[in-house]
Amino acid sequence: MQIEFKNLYFNYNNNSEFKVTVLKNINYLINKNNITAIVGKTGSGKSTLTELINYFLKPTSGQVITDGFISENSTKLKFKVVNKLRKKIGYLFQFSENQLFEDTVIKDVSFGVKNFYPKDDGYEQKSKEALRLVGLDESFDSRSPFDLSGGEKKRVAIAGVIAYKPDLLILDEPTAGLDAQGKKEIMDLFKKIHETGVQIILITHDMNVVLEYADEMIVLDNGSIQKYGSPKEILKENVEKYNLETPHIYKTINALKEKGIVLNNVTDIPSLVTELKKHG
Amino acid sequence: MDKYILGKYVPLNTFIHRLDPRMKILSMILLMVAIFMPFPSWTFTFVMSGFNALIIFVLMLISKVRLRDIIIQLRSIWFLLLVLMIINIFLPPNGSIHIIAQSGNFKLYAESFMQTGKVMLRLIEMFGVAMILTATTSPQELTFGFGWFIKPLKKIKFPVEEVSMTVSIALRFIPTLIEETNRIYKAQSSRGVDFKHGNLKMKFKGLIALIIPLFVSAFTMSDDLAFALEARGYNPKAERTSYRVLKWSTKDTIWIILITLFAAGIITISAMHLDLLRHFFPKIW
């Protein structure tokens, strides 16, 4: 799905004395079926940018063009048009485990499918497929979502978003509040979903996740794009000035460099091992 | 969030912002009384209403409350005003004499419209006064002010401190809950819920999808807060001093005297049952 930001500006509380400028002159084109990571410190406008994609917000000036749907300040959005777009986008919010409300897991997961495809009888089948994909077996189907653990609730929320088969998944800090194992499991799950042809936009503070999973990254700071490109190139340089953490692997390389061991071509742990072996 | 302007604090630093909350609460009550005072003739009622409106408008200018915000509030009660107008047309107020139109037995009185206009004016003025108070006084200060007013109830063993604490916690959580509502609203609309259009069944379904998660997280939050209070040894019965101390200054005294004089004047004129306009300008009438 092609997403284009054209001279995009966004203010909160425009027309009042409490105006806050969040995005300044954003120009960017996401046109490949990639995992795109959007990073930046708290308040840099990451969530605002993704909410603009999904028509939750309207640009103050400029345009956001998502899959041919143009959003600008002057357009009056009709619900039917908005829903046509939202059908193609799965938006997983931060603390998505709080959005569950039905009395059984299967009903909650099929909620989105029923809303977007009211004439489709196959919603139960689709929901079951989504639940199996996120790793919850049949025994969960008829349980109440409120009896589940935090991690399981999150999986139900993910299933609820992927059940209607969106082309694009927007993930707002999906790994926040998870332990190391849970983080890896969830990110591997998203990778699996990505391999079925779903494009992903990922907001995160975890540079290790970005380095391992993302194909493309955008660094936001003070409302404008500071850097963009391949995570391997960007994270190698000093990113701490944008309040980002250098990934563990590059920290290791830098520490080794200080001891006089210079390694090139290292991007993950296996390549680190091979390079170290070469060094003797 | 433009809809929820009534009762929203606007953190500016105007003269009225700096006044004591107790004084502001008291003067709001006095002004409300003045607004609802009855007068003998229609003309005089409207003149006095206009006079009140002028004073309130000046206060609004000082405290930087915009007239537009009050109009927005009126938009939400236009239906009430419409019903009121219909009732006034079919049941004209007592002593209606000016007939504008007549069809058979049914008479349309000018007083019906004047009555509606009077109520509308009073509502606008009431909104104005309430907004001046809430826009210039933070919820915390308001609770403090009200807490001070109910302090004497302690004598009859009314749990004043507990009530103030509960109220201030409730006020503290309003923005948090609005934020939470927004997030759940967005999450459910990204799953295709139509909150604004669609039929009643659809709207009801959407409302459930919003309210249940909201209640669940409100309960979780209050549970967490209760634990946090207990963990730090909170005892509701304990005697405590407060971090913020209300200070009554000379300017508060001057203002309360001015407002009291104003309200007293209006009440006196009303109590005299005298149409002052006719009294002083008999030629025009």
Side-chain angles (χ1 to χ4, degrees):
Chain A
M1 189 185 283
Q2 185 165 314
I3 299 154
E4 191 175 5
F5 305 107
K6 264 190 195 166
N7 307 322
L8 173 67
Y9 283 83
F10 186 81
N11 301 335
Y12 279 109
N13 304 327
N14 205 25
N15 306 327
S16 90
E17 58 258 62
F18 305 105
K19 186 166 103 177
V20 188
T21 304
V22 183
L23 297 172
K24 288 175 242 169
N25 200 16
I26 302 273
N27 283 293
Y28 197 77
L29 177 69
I30 301 173
N31 61 353
K32 280 194 201 118
N33 199 6
N34 274 343
I35 297 184
T36 309
I38 301 179
V39 303
K41 65 182 170 208
T42 316
S44 59
K46 309 180 294 283
S47 297
T48 308
L49 196 63
T50 51
E51 285 181 6
L52 280 160
I53 297 174
N54 206 12
Y55 276 3
F56 283 137
L57 303 170
K58 271 200 285 185
T60 305
S61 71
Q63 285 184 326
V64 181
I65 307 167
T66 317
D67 200 30
F69 291 86
I70 300 169
S71 166
E72 37 182 28
N73 194 269
S74 55
T75 41
K76 275 247 171 193
L77 300 173
K78 284 216 177 76
F79 182 75
K80 272 190 181 157
V81 181
V82 174
N83 242 14
K84 241 184 216 166
L85 174 70
R86 287 190 182 157
K87 203 186 272 190
K88 299 181 182 179
I89 301 176
Y91 201 127
L92 189 74
F93 282 82
Q94 213 177 338
F95 313 116
S96 50
E97 52 272 27
N98 294 347
Q99 74 186 39
L100 310 177
F101 71 100
E102 288 277 17
D103 45 1
T104 63
V105 166
I106 190 86
K107 268 192 188 170
D108 205 287
V109 172
S110 50
F111 181 66
V113 191
K114 278 196 215 163
N115 281 330
F116 288 128
Y117 303 97
K119 290 189 185 103
D120 186 1
D121 292 330
Y123 60 86
E124 217 167 294
Q125 190 52 36
K126 278 182 179 164
S127 312
K128 278 182 180 163
E129 275 168 30
L131 279 167
R132 299 302 96 81
L133 186 63
V134 298
L136 297 174
D137 59 39
E138 282 88 359
S139 66
F140 283 94
D141 287 2
S142 52
R143 283 175 70 182
S144 160
F146 298 108
D147 295 338
L148 306 178
S149 75
E152 286 161 351
K153 275 187 194 168
K154 194 151 219 160
R155 280 165 192 266
V156 174
I158 296 169
V161 166
I162 61 172
Y164 53 87
K165 299 201 175 0
D167 302 329
L168 166 71
L169 256 186
I170 299 174
L171 312 170
D172 194 344
E173 301 198 28
T175 57
L178 292 177
D179 56 29
Q181 185 61 31
K183 214 183 257 183
K184 195 173 157 32
E185 275 175 23
I186 283 249
M187 284 316 299
D188 284 341
L189 168 66
F190 287 131
K191 197 166 184 193
K192 205 163 88 187
I193 295 169
H194 177 62
E195 277 156 8
T196 65
V198 179
Q199 186 184 348
I200 290 181
I201 291 178
L202 168 73
I203 295 176
T204 183
H205 285 291
D206 192 330
M207 291 311 121
N208 294 306
V209 165
V210 174
L211 185 66
E212 199 178 335
Y213 296 94
D215 309 302
E216 183 185 358
M217 77 185 278
I218 302 171
V219 182
L220 276 180
D221 196 27
N222 279 328
S224 48
I225 295 177
Q226 302 293 337
K227 273 196 156 82
Y228 59 90
S230 139
K232 280 169 193 155
E233 297 303 318
I234 292 173
L235 291 170
K236 238 182 221 173
E237 295 157 27
N238 178 17
V239 286
E240 270 156 30
K241 62 182 166 189
Y242 307 119
N243 266 27
L244 304 176
E245 193 194 10
T246 309
H248 298 317
I249 194 95
Y250 288 137
K251 273 188 192 160
T252 317
I253 295 169
N254 290 341
L256 286 168
K257 206 185 253 170
E258 276 172 25
K259 300 271 175 202
I261 306 169
V262 180
L263 300 176
N264 296 315
N265 309 323
V266 179
T267 52
D268 51 12
I269 292 173
S271 63
L272 176 71
V273 174
T274 31
E275 285 292 314
L276 272 176
K277 262 188 190 161
K278 265 193 226 161
H279 232 271
Chain B
M1 288 284 101
D2 283 355
K3 277 191 223 156
Y4 310 103
I5 291 165
L6 187 71
K8 197 163 120 184
Y9 175 58
V10 186
L12 296 170
N13 191 19
T14 68
F15 176 73
I16 296 188
H17 277 80
R18 290 191 294 267
L19 291 172
D20 190 288
R22 288 167 292 183
M23 179 264 160
K24 280 188 268 187
I25 292 168
L26 208 61
S27 31
M28 182 190 73
I29 295 168
L30 286 171
L31 284 174
M32 291 260 187
V33 171
I35 290 168
F36 283 94
M37 276 298 152
F39 295 100
S41 79
W42 283 108
T43 336
F44 195 40
T45 305
F46 280 108
V47 169
M48 288 314 282
S49 223
F51 182 57
N52 285 339
L54 190 76
I55 300 286
I56 292 162
F57 188 67
V58 170
L59 291 177
M60 275 169 60
L61 283 184
I62 304 175
S63 54
K64 290 189 180 155
V65 173
R66 282 172 305 181
L67 198 63
R68 206 193 66 183
D69 298 344
I70 294 173
I71 308 286
I72 289 175
Q73 289 309 313
L74 277 186
R75 270 210 306 238
S76 54
I77 58 156
W78 67 268
F79 186 71
L80 183 90
L81 288 173
L82 194 76
V83 171
L84 188 74
M85 179 136 107
I86 292 166
I87 291 175
N88 275 328
I89 285 172
F90 286 101
L91 298 166
N94 266 346
S96 298
I97 35 169
H98 299 96
I99 299 168
I100 356 178
Q102 191 168 8
S103 105
N105 240 347
F106 178 74
K107 291 169 189 149
L108 187 63
Y109 289 103
E111 277 86 350
S112 305
F113 296 101
M114 297 213 272
Q115 179 71 14
T116 316
K118 184 176 96 181
V119 173
M120 198 170 95
L121 256 175
R122 286 182 173 180
L123 270 177
I124 297 176
E125 289 169 6
M126 202 180 76
F127 274 145
V129 172
M131 274 176 83
I132 292 169
L133 176 72
T134 51
T136 60
T137 323
S138 73
Q140 287 293 344
E141 278 183 317
L142 268 183
T143 336
F144 260 59
F146 280 118
W148 186 85
F149 281 111
I150 60 170
K151 247 181 200 165
L153 291 178
K154 231 181 181 173
K155 289 246 162 68
I156 54 164
K157 300 228 166 90
F158 183 79
V160 171
E161 255 125 35
E162 283 94 324
V163 170
S164 315
M165 181 72 175
T166 318
V167 172
S168 59
I169 289 174
L171 287 171
R172 150 72 188 77
F173 271 94
I174 290 173
T176 315
L177 284 176
I178 289 180
E179 207 175 285
E180 189 73 18
T181 314
N182 270 337
R183 194 169 57 226
I184 297 166
Y185 184 97
K186 280 177 182 166
Q188 306 299 30
S189 35
S190 82
R191 290 207 281 168
V193 185
D194 183 0
F195 287 100
K196 284 174 193 148
H197 316 84
N199 56 26
L200 211 63
K201 197 185 157 203
M202 190 66 188
K203 273 184 186 164
F204 187 66
K205 184 92 186 155
L207 208 62
I208 288 177
L210 188 66
I211 285 174
I212 293 178
L214 193 64
F215 264 83
V216 172
S217 51
F219 282 131
T220 321
M221 274 191 269
S222 55
D223 225 23
D224 287 349
L225 184 70
F227 283 141
L229 281 169
E230 265 177 47
R232 281 180 280 172
Y234 175 72
N235 171 13
K237 294 269 182 294
E239 193 66 40
R240 52 172 55 78
T241 56
S242 50
Y243 173 65
R244 264 179 257 211
V245 183
L246 295 175
K247 269 192 203 132
W248 187 276
S249 63
T250 328
K251 62 174 187 249
D252 295 311
T253 317
I254 295 168
W255 267 85
I256 199 74
I257 288 171
L258 283 177
I259 302 260
T260 315
L261 281 177
F262 170 73
I266 301 263
I267 294 168
T268 317
I269 295 169
S270 168
M272 274 159 43
H273 291 289
L274 204 64
D275 192 340
L276 287 186
L277 283 175
R278 204 167 291 199
H279 195 73
F280 286 118
F281 309 103
K283 291 257 167 67
I284 310 171
W285 262 258

